Amino acid sequence: MPEMSQTASEYANVITICREIFSKKTKDYGTAWRILRPSSLTDQIFIKAQRIRTIQETGQNKVGENIEDEFLAIVNYCIMAIIQLRETDLKDLELSADSAVSLYDKYANEAFDLMSKKNHDYGEAWRDMRVSSLTDLILMKILRVKQIEDNDGKTIISEGIDANYFDMLNYAVFALIHLNK
């Protein structure tokens, strides 16, 4: 079994790629994504995950973009959604690139901390999982989030929406680590 320091390094490499994409797109587009409600971001994640599943099942990719790009997008959409959920004091739609990247880093670090704790407790079980199973877990979490959103964010016993976004983000990172081997 690989050491957890290897997982930390692989995880950091994936997040570095995602962060670079986020930073460059922020410079290109600003923070136009701030207009999106969390439910719209949930739907964006759904579209990406569903496309991955379709390509996995059919073996056909007519658009030409690879599934790695879709997993990278899922990571970034999850962080955007967490920002939208958690940063309720931010009223301006347009954030400076530095502010947006700073928030990105804040939640990417929180996701890493969560992954480290769960990875310890689960003994790196994700390493023995298939990428298709990680895709299915992301889709399941999306359906859970949609149900919670339909219940006005209320849960009786379950984790909240943000916890599900963190899990989807981490599943996407794990898939990318698998795909880069």
Side-chain angles (χ1 to χ4, degrees):
M1 179 166 71
E3 292 186 33
M4 289 194 210
S5 63
Q6 178 182 343
T7 298
S9 174
E10 292 168 328
Y11 190 101
N13 290 339
V14 169
I15 292 297
T16 297
I17 294 165
C18 294
R19 182 186 190 274
E20 184 176 319
I21 292 167
F22 179 86
S23 178
K24 287 178 178 177
K25 286 192 175 195
T26 299
K27 288 174 184 156
D28 284 349
Y29 304 132
T31 53
W33 56 267
R34 296 260 307 132
I35 196 74
L36 298 172
R37 291 171 273 204
S39 59
S40 296
L41 288 161
T42 301
D43 287 342
Q44 286 298 308
I45 298 164
F46 173 75
I47 289 166
K48 298 297 185 183
Q50 187 59 50
R51 180 169 183 271
I52 293 166
R53 183 172 170 150
T54 299
I55 292 168
Q56 289 170 337
E57 289 180 346
T58 66
Q60 295 181 336
N61 179 351
K62 293 187 178 186
V63 174
E65 296 170 352
N66 61 40
I67 64 171
E68 289 88 347
D69 291 340
E70 302 295 16
F71 280 117
L72 293 167
I74 289 171
V75 170
N76 286 344
Y77 279 129
C78 285
I79 291 179
M80 290 176 203
I82 294 164
I83 291 169
Q84 294 294 74
L85 276 175
R86 296 257 188 103
E87 300 296 328
T88 56
D89 291 343
L90 288 177
K91 301 302 177 204
D92 293 332
L93 292 179
E94 193 57 41
L95 303 175
S96 71
D98 288 343
S99 294
V101 171
S102 177
L103 287 169
Y104 186 98
D105 290 344
K106 174 181 176 180
Y107 294 113
N109 289 334
E110 187 174 337
F112 175 81
D113 290 343
L114 175 66
M115 179 281 301
S116 296
K117 291 173 187 171
K118 287 187 174 186
N119 199 37
H120 172 271
D121 290 355
Y122 287 93
E124 298 219 325
W126 66 272
R127 289 200 180 269
D128 295 321
M129 294 176 68
R130 297 173 184 96
V131 173
S132 59
S133 295
L134 292 164
T135 303
D136 290 350
L137 286 170
I138 291 168
L139 284 163
M140 179 191 66
K141 291 282 184 173
I142 291 167
L143 295 176
R144 287 181 178 182
V145 168
K146 285 182 169 205
Q147 185 62 51
I148 296 168
E149 288 169 345
D150 290 346
N151 292 337
D152 297 320
K154 296 178 180 74
T155 60
I156 298 169
I157 194 170
S158 306
E159 297 175 306
I161 293 172
D162 57 343
N164 285 283
Y165 284 133
F166 278 113
D167 286 345
M168 288 186 275
L169 185 165
N170 284 330
Y171 295 151
V173 171
F174 292 155
L176 285 160
I177 291 170
H178 277 307
L179 291 168
N180 287 320
K181 289 198 178 243

